[in-house]
Structure formats: C-alpha cells, structure tokens
Amino acid sequence: MSATNNGHHGHDGDDHHHEHDPIEDGAMLRVRALEELMIAKGLVDPEAVDRVVEYYERQTGPRNGAAVVARAWTDPAFREWLLQDSTAAIHSMGFQGYQGEHMRVVENTSSVHNVIVCTLCSCYPWAVLGLPPAWYKGAAYRSRVVREPRAVLKEFGLDIPAETEVRVWDSTAEIRFMVLPQRPAGTEGFSPERLASLVTRNGMIGTALV
C-alpha cells in the first residue's frame, strides 16, 4: 500500500510488497487469450463483448459503490466508520466478494484529490466498482498516473488546481482502494437514491468529479 503525492512515488524500494494478483493468473489469462483469438478469427463480435462488459460496468458493481458513497454523504456516523474501517463498513451493506476482502476508502476534499491505480497488474475492487475499465489495466495509465498524475487527470477532463494535493494510491494483492468523492453542492435535499445516481465508476477511481 502506498500513496504518491503530486507525482512523487511513495514506494519504499524493495520493502514494498506487491505480488501479482492471482486473478490475473490461470483461468483469467486463458479466458483473455481465448477471447482475443476468437475475435481475431471472427468468431466473436467485439461489440457484443463490449456490451456485456458495459452491463457489468454500469449496472452492477458501480451501483454498489454508489450506494456506499451516498450513504457516507448522508450518514456522518457511517462516513466515519467507512474511513476508519472501510472493509467492515462496506461489508455491512452486503457488498463483498473476491477482490473486495480488504478495502480502504480515501476521501476527496477541497485540498486533496485522490486517484487509484495498480502499477504492477490490475488489482481492483470488483465488489463495489464492477469490472475494471480497459484503460485502468493498460500499461500507459498504470505507469503514467504515478509519474504525472495531473497530466493524466487533465486528459480525463480534470484540471486539478496547483494548490490541491494529488495523492495516488497503489493497490496491491492485499488491499483495494476506493475514492469517496466530494458531495456536489446543491444536493442537500436529495434522497440517497438520487445521490447514488450521480456517482460514477470514474468518480470512485478518482479520474472524474461527481
């Protein structure tokens, strides 16, 4: 687990233990190879694959995370619990499973903006964010967001002010991160359900604002 502030990498050399996530091994790698082969041979329509992936990205996992965020925005006691013991708080809402056993939620504020990455593979909190987007798993994002987070965030449409600290959190096989975005102004009377509808997967990764 590490944080990078304003692009300065926070790893502790050889002491940083970051094993390759087991989900990247075995069956997952075989499925990926088979998918690529079938697409290359014209046996599978890549648009059909994208539609299935989009369903899981937009309709399942991210809605779980959005419900967590909305509750944190409306329930101060839950927000405090979420920031102190993220795993227990998230599991109390019934959201748990593989790659969601050990969670840490980091909060965006007026002075700090957080973004998550997995620099060595693609560790990702599936239980609350669904399937990881392709760019999250790509080498370009994984390497660049650590070295030049402001530039990468700007490419996502976020121009982070110079006075705002940017913290990059590097997920590992042991712990997953999720961003608690800032609650938008003017939403004081919104119900938790309406608030949840505003929350996006990218907002919980830190590459978008809510």
Side-chain angles (χ1 to χ4, degrees), residues 1-74:
M1 176 181 66
S2 64
T4 300
N5 296 330
N6 292 314
H8 300 293
H9 209 288
H11 285 180
D12 297 323
D14 294 335
D15 293 333
H16 178 68
H17 179 64
H18 187 155
E19 295 180 350
H20 188 74
D21 194 313
I23 201 169
E24 293 293 313
D25 297 325
M28 179 59 73
L29 290 179
R30 290 194 293 272
V31 168
R32 287 183 177 179
L34 182 60
E35 177 189 334
E36 292 176 2
L37 178 62
M38 294 180 72
I39 290 175
K41 290 185 174 296
L43 300 175
V44 173
D45 182 357
E47 292 186 3
V49 175
D50 288 344
R51 286 195 294 271
V52 173
V53 171
E54 183 178 5
Y55 169 78
Y56 282 100
E57 287 179 342
R58 297 180 181 275
Q59 302 300 325
T60 54
R63 294 302 91 206
N64 295 345
V68 173
V69 170
R71 184 172 174 185
W73 283 346
T74 56

Side-chain angles (χ1 to χ4, degrees), residues 62-93:
R63 294 302 91 206
N64 295 345
V68 173
V69 170
R71 184 172 174 185
W73 283 346
T74 56
D75 183 340
F78 179 79
R79 172 185 164 278
E80 183 177 354
W81 185 22
L82 181 67
L83 295 176
Q84 291 182 353
D85 190 348
S86 306
T87 303
I90 291 171
H91 286 186
S92 76
M93 295 184 66

Side-chain angles (χ1 to χ4, degrees), residues 21-23 61 64 86-88 90-103 124-130 173-176:
D21 194 313
I23 201 169
N64 295 345
S86 306
T87 303
I90 291 171
H91 286 186
S92 76
M93 295 184 66
F95 306 140
Q96 54 186 304
Y98 193 69
Q99 295 223 29
E101 299 92 338
H102 305 289
M103 293 287 304
Y124 187 81
W126 289 43
V128 285
L129 296 190
E174 291 78 29
I175 190 165
R176 307 289 187 273

Side-chain angles (χ1 to χ4, degrees), residues 127-194:
V128 285
L129 296 190
L131 297 176
W135 53 261
Y136 182 88
K137 298 179 289 183
Y141 175 79
R142 285 163 33 213
S143 61
R144 290 186 57 224
V145 76
V146 172
R147 293 184 287 104
E148 46 181 0
R150 294 177 185 276
V152 171
L153 291 174
K154 193 167 186 178
E155 292 171 10
F156 279 93
L158 289 183
D159 195 358
I160 305 298
E163 62 271 18
T164 299
E165 179 185 0
V166 176
R167 295 179 181 173
V168 180
W169 297 90
D170 192 358
S171 299
T172 72
E174 291 78 29
I175 190 165
R176 307 289 187 273
F177 292 93
M178 178 181 126
V179 174
L180 175 60
Q182 282 188 280
R183 180 172 176 169
T187 61
E188 289 75 13
F190 285 20
S191 67
E193 293 76 16
R194 188 176 179 187

